[in-house]
């Protein structure tokens, strides 16, 4: 399994977000990232942020979950940063 990269959500906190579950779900559904972008209506910028494990809005998360018919915890996880 590849290394997981997470980001710190806010300076001064030790909580990080990881999108590895999203990539796993896309693979399971045999869906490419660009297809997710088109189906969900998220922008290329949001897709790029996901790829860089950067924060995205809840609106974008809702669009992705609606498209994939899943819950938030199926596409992302929060964990303590080091």
């Amino acid at each position: 399994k590849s290394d997981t990269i997470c980001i710190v959500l806010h300076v001064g906190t030790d909580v990080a977000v990881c999108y590895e579950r999203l990539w796993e779900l896309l693979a399971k559904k045999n869906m490419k990232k660009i297809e997710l972008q088109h189906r969900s209506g998220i922008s290329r910028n949001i897709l790029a942020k996901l790829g860089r494990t950067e924060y995205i809005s809840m609106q974008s998360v809702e669009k992705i979950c609606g498209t994939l018919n899943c819950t938030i915890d199926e596409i992302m996880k929060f964990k303590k940063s080091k």
Side-chain angles (χ1 to χ4, degrees):
K1 194 168 186 173
S2 63
D3 292 336
T4 301
I5 299 173
C6 301
I7 60 157
V8 176
L9 288 176
H10 301 285
V11 176
T13 66
D14 31 332
V15 177
V17 63
C18 296
Y19 299 112
E20 76 177 18
R21 291 179 179 176
L22 172 60
W23 311 133
E24 291 169 0
L25 184 58
L26 287 179
K28 187 177 179 180
K29 292 181 176 273
N30 200 27
M31 183 185 293
K32 295 183 179 189
K33 294 176 185 179
I34 193 74
E35 186 178 353
L36 173 65
Q37 177 194 339
H38 292 299
R39 286 187 179 188
S40 65
I42 61 172
S43 67
R44 283 185 280 165
N45 183 43
I46 297 301
L47 192 60
K49 284 183 173 193
L50 288 166
R52 294 188 304 261
T53 62
E54 294 178 3
Y55 171 80
I56 63 169
S57 71
M58 285 303 297
Q59 181 181 19
S60 296
V61 171
E62 288 176 37
K63 288 179 180 181
I64 292 167
C65 287
T67 300
L68 298 175
N69 194 29
C70 67
T71 60
I72 291 173
D73 64 322
E74 292 177 281
I75 65 166
M76 59 191 292
K77 67 181 176 180
F78 296 96
K79 68 181 214 176
K80 290 270 191 183
S81 62
K82 295 179 181 182

